């Protein structure tokens, strides 16, 4: 069981942490470039920026689900990527359907992936909220409304 956690699980979690960090840098650079290039003062510009940020974060989370799915396949738990990806998505999103269960040998990786998924989805949500808060502050500032954050 410890080999499953330390030998398989932690390296995959570290890969997901790296990917999530990379996506946060991409989102940050994208947003900073948009803020610097044009004022975010129209509905459609704001919608587009938020849409791209959400899409980038979603792609990052789906890629992490794919990394876990590939790990499950390499461990011999699944033969078809579609099934591995489905099982991985259920774990990552903490749905826990239980319709597909891995072997007893690797079963501990499911909850480990769920912990990873909760953290990564939370980080994605925090990044999206940071963008939204910044956009709101800018909009209020442009309209002469000062907002006390407390």
């Amino acid at each position: 069981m410890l080999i499953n956690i330390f030998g398989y699980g932690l390296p995959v979690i570290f890969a997901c942490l790296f990917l999530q960090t990379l996506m946060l840098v991409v989102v940050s650079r994208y947003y900073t470039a948009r803020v610097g290039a044009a004022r975010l003062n129209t509905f459609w510009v704001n919608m587009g920026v938020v849409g791209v940020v959400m899409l980038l974060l979603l792609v990052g989370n789906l890629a992490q689900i794919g990394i876990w799915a590939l790990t499950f396949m390499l461990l011999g738990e699944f033969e078809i990527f579609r099934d591995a990806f489905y099982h991985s998505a259920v774990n990552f999103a903490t749905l826990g359907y239980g319709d597909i269960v891995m072997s007893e040998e690797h079963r501990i990786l499911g909850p480990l992936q769920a912990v990873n998924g909760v953290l990564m989805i939370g980080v994605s949500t925090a990044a999206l909220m940071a963008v939204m808060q910044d956009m709101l502050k800018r909009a209020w500032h442009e309209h002469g409304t000062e907002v006390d954050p407390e």
Side-chain angles (χ1 to χ4, degrees):
M1 183 167 124
L2 286 178
I3 189 68
N4 287 329
I5 294 172
F6 294 109
Y8 306 127
L10 289 181
V12 175
I13 287 176
F14 291 147
C16 289
L17 289 171
F18 175 78
L19 180 58
Q20 186 74 20
T21 303
L22 177 66
M23 293 309 294
L24 290 174
V25 169
V26 169
V27 163
S28 176
R29 288 186 178 193
Y30 167 79
Y31 182 70
T32 302
R34 291 306 157 272
V35 169
R39 293 170 61 149
L40 298 174
N41 60 0
T42 69
F43 176 80
W44 293 111
V45 170
N46 287 336
M47 285 286 293
V49 169
V50 171
V52 169
V53 166
M54 284 192 292
L55 182 63
L56 289 170
L57 294 169
L58 178 63
V59 166
N61 285 316
L62 290 174
Q64 292 174 66
I65 291 169
I67 290 170
W68 279 98
L70 288 173
T71 300
F72 296 153
M73 289 187 71
L74 290 172
L75 292 173
E77 289 293 328
F78 297 94
E79 293 180 13
I80 301 170
F81 182 76
R82 180 186 65 226
D83 294 340
F85 191 86
Y86 166 77
H87 180 73
S88 179
V90 168
N91 287 342
F92 197 83
T94 70
L95 291 172
Y97 287 150
D99 55 341
I100 300 176
V101 179
M102 292 194 300
S103 69
E104 202 171 309
E105 180 183 1
H106 300 122
R107 195 174 304 164
I108 190 67
L109 293 176
L112 197 60
Q113 183 189 11
V115 170
N116 181 211
V118 166
L119 179 61
M120 297 302 105
I121 291 170
V123 168
S124 294
T125 302
L128 179 60
M129 285 308 303
V131 166
M132 298 290 294
Q133 286 177 331
D134 186 65
M135 289 173 70
L136 284 171
K137 281 184 193 176
R138 289 173 186 280
W140 289 330
H141 181 70
E142 286 178 11
H143 291 91
T145 308
E146 290 299 321
V147 177
D148 185 7
E150 293 181 27

